[in-house]
């Protein structure tokens, strides 16, 4: 079977089996082409709560499938490749959060969505890269414990100077593999290109960017911009997607090290097996975890708009 035939089978089977395929923007082009919805973490969360199908196949990483399950507890949620986890989401557990809260009384805990469902049961609100600034500005609290990504936190802090922040020493290993020397090298090689980066990059990279935003924010900016050349400071797949969408523009990856091996785990064949009901992992969460983690996620959707 070739890619095209496999895609046709998936499309046929998902209709027959009443399955919705959600894919994160970092998934590969062959998976994008069979997905019902592609988006950044915030858009995927909103979609997860609104899909009419009884089964959701998540092509992404584990915390995304957990968020889906929390928002749609009556649906069957399948993570297409059970091995695909997010290293950042594994940096901190619920006990670490409780300890940080004990050491910092009077702080509201704001968790990046890239955390486990269990951790989310201990926090006040969840944010994504595209909703963090809006949500934190809307919070009545002045003191914010921002976990686990201090790079995203730094970017948010600069836009919310009226708040006090404390950070955890975590971060995304993929984006942290880029640095200011990559920016200098790539700017010298492509002097007319605009630099578009994800806020999970180090502050030294973010400070030099022409645009900072989520995965879909970066794609939207590149599409709407009059510029024709762009250096992309996020996961490598976005360069490929941009090339497909805007073949007349040029896209260069900020660093060849900006590859998320976990996002690359899921293959089209994994999606096929999950849709066919013979692969992937059904996400099962204790009822208490669903109830308690839903509150900060619902708050995110309400405040994030
Ligand atoms: P967003 O698409 O929400 O910006 O997320 C980036 C990311 O690293 C997801 O794991
Ligand atoms: Fe996690 Fe970073 Fe990979 Fe996103 S890109 S899944 S935050 S390791």
């Amino acid at each position: 079977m070739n890619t095209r035939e496999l895609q046709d089978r998936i499309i046929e089977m998902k209709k027959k089996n009443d399955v919705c395929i959600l894919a994160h923007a970092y998934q590969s082009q062959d998976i994008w082409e069979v997905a019902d919805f592609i988006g950044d973490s915030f858009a995927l969360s909103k979609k997860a709560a609104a899909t009419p199908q009884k089964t959701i196949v998540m092509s992404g990483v584990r915390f995304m499938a957990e968020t889906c399950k929390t928002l749609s507890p009556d649906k069957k949620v399948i993570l297409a490749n059970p091995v695909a986890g997010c290293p950042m989401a594994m940096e901190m557990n619920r006990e670490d959060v409780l300890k940080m809260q004990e050491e910092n009384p009077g702080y509201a805990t704001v968790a990046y969505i890239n955390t486990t469902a269990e951790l989310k049961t201990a926090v006040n609100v969840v944010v994504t890269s595209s909703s963090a600034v809006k949500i934190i500005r809307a919070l009545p609290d002045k003191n914010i414990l921002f976990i686990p990504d201090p790079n995203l936190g730094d970017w948010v802090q600069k836009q919310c100077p009226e708040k006090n922040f404390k950070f955890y020493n975590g971060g995304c290993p993929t984006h942290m593999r880029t640095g200011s020397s990559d920016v200098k090298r790539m700017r010298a090689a492509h002097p007319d290109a605009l630099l578009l980066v994800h806020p999970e990059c180090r502050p030294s990279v973010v400070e030099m960017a022409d645009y900072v935003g989520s995965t879909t924010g970066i794609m939207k900016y590149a599409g709407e911009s009059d510029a024709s050349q762009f250096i992309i400071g996020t996961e490598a797949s976005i360069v490929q997607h941009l090339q497909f969408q805007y073949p007349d523009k040029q896209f260069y990856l900020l660093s060849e090290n900006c590859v998320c091996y976990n996002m690359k785990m899921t293959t089209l064949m994994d999606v096929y097996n999950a849709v066919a009901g013979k692969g992937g992992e059904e996400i099962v969460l204790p009822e208490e975890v669903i109830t308690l983690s839903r509150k900060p996620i619902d708050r995110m959707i309400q405040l994030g708009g």
Side-chain angles (χ1 to χ4, degrees), residues 142-166:
K142 187 171 168 61
N143 297 326
I144 309 289
L145 279 186
F146 190 93
I147 56 168
D149 184 355
N151 295 332
L152 174 65
D154 180 82
W155 179 68
V156 173
Q157 181 178 34
K158 285 176 178 142
Q159 294 170 82
C160 303
E162 71 283 10
K163 309 268 177 176
N164 292 330
F165 285 82
K166 282 205 176 162

Side-chain angles (χ1 to χ4, degrees), residues 124-259:
N124 299 94
V125 67
V126 169
V127 296
T128 66
S129 58
S130 56
S131 61
V133 172
K134 187 173 178 190
I135 291 171
I136 290 175
R137 279 187 186 144
L139 285 181
D141 316 77
K142 187 171 168 61
N143 297 326
I144 309 289
L145 279 186
F146 190 93
I147 56 168
D149 184 355
N151 295 332
L152 174 65
D154 180 82
W155 179 68
V156 173
Q157 181 178 34
K158 285 176 178 142
Q159 294 170 82
C160 303
E162 71 283 10
K163 309 268 177 176
N164 292 330
F165 285 82
K166 282 205 176 162
F167 301 116
Y168 184 73
N169 192 18
C172 164
T174 303
H175 288 85
M176 288 209 293
R177 285 196 290 270
T178 64
S180 52
S181 57
D182 294 312
V183 176
K184 285 177 197 144
R185 181 174 46 83
M186 291 302 282
R187 282 241 196 246
H190 308 287
D192 296 330
L194 295 182
L195 174 66
L196 319 184
V197 310
H198 196 280
E200 287 173 16
C201 289
R202 296 171 189 279
S204 57
V205 172
V206 168
E207 276 158 19
M208 290 194 257
D210 297 294
Y211 172 81
V212 186
S214 75
T215 49
T216 47
I218 289 173
M219 294 195 69
K220 191 166 178 280
Y221 185 94
E224 289 171 0
S225 168
D226 291 335
S228 60
Q229 292 185 49
F230 304 88
I231 301 164
I232 304 298
T234 192
E235 213 280 328
S237 55
I238 298 299
V239 169
Q240 192 194 19
H241 297 312
L242 283 166
Q243 281 164 342
F244 271 98
Q245 287 197 3
Y246 309 106
D248 297 331
K249 296 186 176 188
Q250 299 292 315
F251 301 97
Y252 312 104
L253 183 62
L254 175 60
S255 162
E256 69 279 14
N257 295 320
C258 204
V259 175

